[in-house]
Amino acid sequence: MNKLSLKTFTLLQTVTSVGLSALAWMVTGVRPIWNGSLPSDRQRIYFANHTSHGDFILLSACLSEKERAITHAVAAGEYWGKSRLRRFIAQDMLSSVLINRQWTKPEENPIEIMLSVLDQGHSLILFPEGTRNMTEEPLLAFRSGLYNLSMARPEVELIPCWIENMSRVLPKGQFLPVPLLCRVVFGAPVAVGPGEERRAFLERAHATLLALNPRPERDD
């Protein structure tokens, strides 16, 4: 890629980021609530509940422009890599990190792919349920990725984020958003404790995220 193409590519990503953030604010009036953490330039993994393809856009809209530029959502390669158009949207326009959940080759190892992004000094948006939650449960059990990343890069801050109402704004199978007020609640950082086992940490992180739900009596 020559310098001109690189500049054009970077401009496309910037325009897309700003445009989607503006759209998120217009459609949802998204209000970030910092409950135990504050906006920061520190390298982070934001982990959140997942009910809609628009979740990461809403979360990203709550970050500063500087943070958005180095924060990448982790997305399923099986879906977003299914066609050239989807891959272009996910990787080239949205700067997402695509991983294959049913990987077979060493170079497809999701943890190694995510670690390579962290090693560039960038941050991640991770959905530890591993898939969109289409059930009646408010939050599915966490998969082990969050624990593995934290163990490998303990200096990276883990920030729980509860995304409210996005499943109603952009329901499954819909492409036009429904105007509805949304909130993103950012909680206090969590970390793997000394000698803490994987299951215990994942259950604690799960409970921490679930406790951020501002309306626990409702399905989000």
Side-chain angles (χ1 to χ4, degrees), residues 92-103:
D92 297 340
M93 295 185 68
L94 302 177
S95 301
S96 299
V97 177
L98 300 189
I99 60 171
N100 292 314
R101 289 168 290 191
Q102 304 298 325
W103 60 281

Side-chain angles (χ1 to χ4, degrees), residues 51-204:
T51 60
S52 168
H53 282 316
D55 287 333
F56 81 92
I57 296 174
L58 201 66
L59 197 160
S60 295
C62 297
L63 305 178
S64 69
E65 185 176 342
K66 181 179 179 181
E67 287 181 279
R68 284 200 308 271
I70 58 168
T71 301
H72 310 272
V74 178
E78 296 92 337
Y79 179 84
W80 288 105
K82 198 171 184 178
S83 68
R84 287 186 178 181
L85 177 60
R86 287 186 183 180
R87 182 174 291 275
F88 174 76
I89 292 172
Q91 288 188 318
D92 297 340
M93 295 185 68
L94 302 177
S95 301
S96 299
V97 177
L98 300 189
I99 60 171
N100 292 314
R101 289 168 290 191
Q102 304 298 325
W103 60 281
T104 56
K105 302 176 183 177
E107 61 269 22
E108 296 175 340
N109 186 328
I111 296 298
E112 294 301 324
I113 292 173
M114 289 185 281
L115 288 177
S116 69
V117 176
L118 294 175
D119 288 344
Q120 297 175 49
H122 291 197
S123 295
L124 294 173
I125 296 173
L126 182 67
F127 301 107
E129 296 167 279
T131 186
R132 281 182 293 165
N133 182 4
M134 309 306 295
T135 74
E136 297 298 320
E137 294 296 321
L139 191 64
L140 302 178
F142 284 3
R143 298 189 182 183
S144 59
L146 187 66
Y147 173 82
N148 293 334
L149 290 173
S150 184
M151 289 296 291
R153 300 293 183 273
E155 71 281 3
V156 179
E157 200 170 44
L158 306 181
I159 302 293
C161 313
W162 186 269
I163 302 171
E164 181 191 31
N165 278 343
M166 198 59 202
S167 62
R168 296 180 174 89
V169 173
L170 195 64
K172 184 177 182 180
Q174 299 299 313
F175 296 96
L176 294 177
V178 178
L180 190 66
L181 293 177
C182 294
R183 291 179 287 185
V184 179
V185 184
F186 296 82
V190 299
V192 178
E196 187 173 26
E197 295 184 352
R198 177 171 57 94
R199 178 178 294 182
F201 168 76
L202 293 175
E203 289 177 351
R204 180 165 61 86

